[in-house]
Amino acid sequence: QVELVESGGGLAQAGNSLTLACTVSGLNFRSYIMGWFRRAPGEDREFVATLSRVGGSVHYADSVKGRFTISRDNTKNTLYLQMNNLKPEDTAVYYCAAARLSEDITWTARQREYDYWGQGTQVTVSL
C-alpha cells in the first residue's frame, strides 16, 4: 500500500545539476520525516540529507553540504533533492525514505529509523 517512487536520475557532467523527486502514497506524508540516502558501487548505503515534517529543519552529510538542497511539498506528497555542482563521487543509486518517529524528533540520519524506502534512481556524474 505504501509506495515511494524516485524519479529524475540520469547522467550529468561534473559541475552541472540534477533534481530528484520522490512521490509518496499510502501514508500521511505530513506526519513523516523524510530523507535521502545513496549507495555507490561497492559501498554501503549512506546518509545524504533529511528534513522535518513541515520542512523547517534540514541536515546534510558533510560530503554534500553547500551543494545539495532537500525540500518537500506537503500539498503534493513529494520530496525533492536539488543537486548542484555535481562531482563524479556523487555517482550512486539515490533512495528516498520516510520515518514516522515520535513528534519530539524532527530529523534523523539513522537508516534504521526509517520505515519506508523507495526503489532508487540512478545518478551518474561524468567528468
Side-chain angles (χ1 to χ4, degrees):
Q1 184 81 358
V2 175
E3 191 169 37
L4 284 65
V5 180
E6 301 95 337
S7 62
L11 179 66
Q13 290 187 318
N16 288 352
S17 300
L18 283 175
T19 299
L20 306 182
C22 171
T23 58
V24 180
S25 61
L27 55 76
N28 187 353
F29 186 65
R30 303 176 72 96
S31 296
Y32 283 79
I33 297 164
M34 298 298 297
W36 286 100
F37 297 80
R38 68 187 183 186
R39 185 181 181 92
E43 304 289 337
D44 292 331
R45 188 160 59 190
E46 66 177 3
F47 168 73
V48 175
T50 183
L51 84 170
S52 56
R53 297 171 182 85
V54 296
S57 180
V58 298
H59 299 271
Y60 299 94
D62 288 343
S63 59
V64 306
K65 284 181 180 177
R67 300 189 298 120
F68 289 12
T69 302
I70 187 171
S71 62
R72 65 194 294 163
D73 186 341
N74 284 350
T75 69
K76 299 179 179 179
N77 285 10
T78 302
L79 175 75
Y80 301 96
L81 185 68
Q82 175 68 47
M83 304 184 294
N84 297 326
N85 301 316
L86 283 163
K87 303 176 179 180
E89 51 263 46
D90 295 319
T91 295
V93 177
Y94 284 72
Y95 301 87
C96 66
R100 182 69 173 89
L101 300 175
S102 56
E103 290 296 326
D104 58 303
I105 300 175
T106 57
W107 64 273
T108 182
R110 299 169 177 168
Q111 295 190 44
R112 60 183 170 87
E113 294 187 339
Y114 283 85
D115 301 296
Y116 303 104
W117 294 81
Q119 81 293 331
T121 186
Q122 176 71 48
V123 171
T124 302
V125 183
S126 63
L127 291 170

